[in-house]
Amino acid sequence: MKKEYIIYYIATGLLSLLVLFSAGMYFFNHQEVAEMFTNFGYPTYIIYPYAVAKLLGVITIWFVANKTIKEWVYAGFFFAFILAFFAHVMIGDGEQMGALIALILLVVSYIYSKKI
């Protein structure tokens, strides 16, 4: 049982760091992120709400005990990472690896959250 806890906390911790880094870029490096969103064809006004949603998602995974809400957060992150992966692939900027790593960490975190 201890092995499951260790894997869960490592995967969730790394996922949280990745998402917090991403949200931090949205807040503190807005111009570069706005250019990236424009290249994707996304409106730039969603950058700050998206960053806040990422922060709330990380807080929910760590601190909210309601399993239904956690399921929604995992689902939201899953779709966000899938869409980010394919957005990077479609414009060909070579930045899809971050989304792929986030997706793998998310799946591991989700599976082991069910085991503990």
Side-chain angles (χ1 to χ4, degrees), residues 8 12 61 70-78 106 109-110 113:
Y8 169 74
T12 306
I61 285 176
K70 280 189 179 185
E71 289 282 334
W72 279 98
V73 170
Y74 276 114
F77 278 154
F78 178 78
L106 179 78
S109 173
Y110 179 76
S113 74

Side-chain angles (χ1 to χ4, degrees), residues 5 14 20 26 29 34-37 41 43 46 57-58 61-62 65-66 68 70 75-76 79 107 109-110 113-114:
Y5 278 101
L14 291 173
L20 290 173
Y26 288 13
N29 201 359
E35 290 174 17
M36 184 176 60
F37 270 55
I46 66 170
V58 170
I61 285 176
W62 283 103
N66 187 322
T68 304
K70 280 189 179 185
F79 288 115
V107 169
S109 173
Y110 179 76
S113 74
K114 297 296 183 187

Side-chain angles (χ1 to χ4, degrees), residues 3 11-12 23 27 29 39 54 57 60 68 80 84 95 102 104 115:
K3 181 179 85 170
T12 306
F27 284 120
N29 201 359
N39 289 341
K54 285 183 174 191
T60 301
T68 304
E95 298 290 329
I104 292 167
K115 289 184 177 187

